[in-house]
Amino acid sequence: MKLKAVIIGCGNIAGGYDLLSDSNTTMTHAKAYKNNPNVETVGAFDVDLEKAQRFCKIWNISKSYSDLKKMLADCSPDIVSICSPNETHFEIFQTVVGFRPKGIICEKPMAMFYEQALKMVKEAEEKKIALAVNYIRRWDSSFTSLHRRIQGGEFGSCQLGRVLYTKGLFHNASHAINLMQSWLGEVNSIDLHRVTEKSKDDVLADFSLGFKDCPQIIFQGLNTNNYNYFEIDLHFTKARISIPKDIHVDWAQKSSLVPGTMSLGGQTEIIPSTLHTAVGEVVNDIVRCILTNSPLKMYPIDACKTIQVCEQIRNSKI
């Protein structure tokens, strides 16, 4: 018997991105469910009913709704994907947990306030609901392999890093914060440099974070209107790891220019990113969790801690 899934919000991450990509990608919830043999998507909700109807026609989903409670009551889903706008996640989660699905996949950020995120984690635990927050790099196999190598000390200790991002602190920079918390330990210092854009609950800001295993990662926000951008650059004692798309590892070796010194760039390892299929891994993991009662690859409290850091940055004074 297949698990029943429903999708809340019928935008790009729900299904749109895969309509603009080639057939080898799995960048959306709809395609990830479609590709999993243990899942059937039985309903989709959007406040715009015509949008939900178009979405369901494209993805061959039988029922479309503009009434959330009616969909949850009619479909009795085992898994719910929350793909609605960021500021709606907490309120929608409160409705969803009342219907006690077995699993929830919530797009990041899980909430715009730490207390809300903490309440979501506690409620999911109390009701024994598996909660996955879609920081997709935590499920991407190329990044999880790199995580093991960092934790194993292969690259030495991290000295300094930089992250360039667009689309806001909570919306996009939180991806990197969550990843650095996994790789380099908890945040122990925050220094806000400037705020360049503000919205209702989010900001675009330049700031520095200190982590347990790295003294400083510098985050710089780029103008959201120009282009979408996300890049990580980390300097370890034995190598530099840069991630524009694929993962580049430049190893330190004896310099050919200055005898007796070390330099970067002579030996480069390129690890192809599998980010374009990572949403499929999130769905596969929560299905495995439900069917085998095994833990998720990322605990929801990790996402909650990321929101705590974001809120502290947003509340900081220059």
Side-chain angles (χ1 to χ4, degrees):
M1 183 177 177
K2 290 187 176 184
L3 298 174
K4 294 184 293 183
V6 297
I7 298 172
I8 298 172
C10 297
N12 284 332
I13 194 63
Y17 287 137
D18 278 313
L19 301 178
L20 302 172
S21 305
D22 62 47
S23 59
N24 294 322
T25 67
T26 305
M27 301 178 68
T28 66
H29 294 245
K31 190 168 183 180
Y33 286 135
K34 183 179 179 180
N35 289 346
N36 191 298
N38 294 306
V39 179
E40 178 184 5
T41 308
V42 295
F45 161 89
D46 198 278
V47 291
D48 181 342
L49 181 58
E50 290 185 1
K51 186 175 181 180
Q53 290 170 338
R54 290 194 300 270
F55 183 89
C56 288
K57 184 176 181 179
I58 291 169
W59 291 104
N60 194 28
I61 299 169
S62 58
K63 296 180 180 179
S64 55
Y65 296 86
S66 59
D67 184 322
L68 178 57
K69 290 183 178 179
K70 180 171 175 53
M71 178 180 74
L72 295 169
D74 286 354
C75 296
S76 300
D78 299 298
I79 310 174
V80 177
S81 279
I82 301 177
C83 303
S84 56
N86 296 343
E87 65 275 9
T88 68
H89 290 176
F90 176 71
E91 182 180 356
I92 286 175
F93 179 90
Q94 296 301 302
T95 299
V96 170
V97 293
F99 288 82
R100 291 183 176 268
K102 296 174 182 176
I104 297 172
I105 302 175
C106 183
E107 274 302 313
K108 55 74 203 167
M110 60 191 298
M112 302 305 292
F113 298 91
Y114 172 65
E115 288 301 324
Q116 292 178 344
L118 190 61
K119 185 175 181 180
M120 291 165 74
V121 171
K122 289 181 177 179
E123 286 186 323
E125 288 177 351
E126 290 170 0
K127 293 180 170 60
K128 294 181 169 48
I129 298 170
L131 173 58
V133 181
N134 191 22
Y135 286 114
I136 54 176
R137 290 165 183 83
R138 297 290 297 275
W139 275 268
D140 177 3
S141 59
S142 59
F143 281 83
T144 54
S145 176
L146 186 64
H147 178 196
R148 288 191 292 270
R149 296 172 69 182
I150 291 171
Q151 293 288 299
E154 183 177 346
F155 309 113
S157 59
C158 189
Q159 306 172 91
L160 179 68
R162 185 181 72 163
V163 174
L164 298 178
Y165 73 98
T166 56
K167 293 190 175 181
L169 166 64
F170 283 78
H171 189 76
N172 234 8
S174 66
H175 272 295
I177 296 171
N178 181 268
L179 197 61
M180 296 303 108
Q181 287 173 304
S182 170
W183 287 355
L184 303 171
E186 294 303 322
V187 172
N188 54 35
S189 66
I190 296 172
D191 185 13
L192 177 64
H193 305 310
R194 66 170 183 159
V195 174
T196 54
E197 295 179 19
K198 288 184 178 181
S199 60
K200 181 182 177 183
D201 293 319
D202 209 345
V203 296
L204 188 74
D206 297 347
F207 57 94
S208 298
L209 299 179
F211 293 82
K212 174 179 173 290
D213 295 326
C214 184
Q216 187 181 46
I217 305 289
I218 301 165
F219 290 73
Q220 294 175 298
L222 299 172
N223 190 302
T224 303
N225 296 321
N226 293 332
Y227 42 74
N228 189 28
Y229 196 78
F230 187 88
E231 182 175 281
I232 296 172
D233 191 6
L234 301 175
H235 285 266
F236 291 80
T237 52
K238 297 180 182 179
R240 173 195 179 196
I241 298 174
S242 56
I243 310 170
K245 181 183 176 184
D246 294 329
I247 299 167
H248 295 243
V249 180
D250 293 318
W251 290 95
Q253 58 183 21
K254 291 181 179 179
S255 174
S256 59
L257 294 175
V258 184
T261 66
M262 303 290 284
S263 64
L264 295 170
Q267 179 186 354
T268 301
E269 175 186 355
I270 299 177
I271 305 166
S273 171
T274 53
L275 200 62
H276 59 289
T277 60
V279 177
E281 294 305 317
V282 182
V283 166
N284 293 345
D285 196 41
I286 202 164
V287 169
R288 177 187 55 80
C289 174
I290 292 169
L291 295 180
T292 66
N293 198 31
S294 53
L296 290 165
K297 291 182 180 178
M298 187 188 87
Y299 295 113
I301 194 63
D302 292 350
C304 189
K305 290 177 180 178
T306 299
I307 297 304
Q308 184 178 30
V309 172
C310 290
E311 186 167 26
Q312 288 172 338
I313 296 166
R314 185 179 60 197
N315 293 342
S316 294
K317 303 298 182 183
I318 299 173

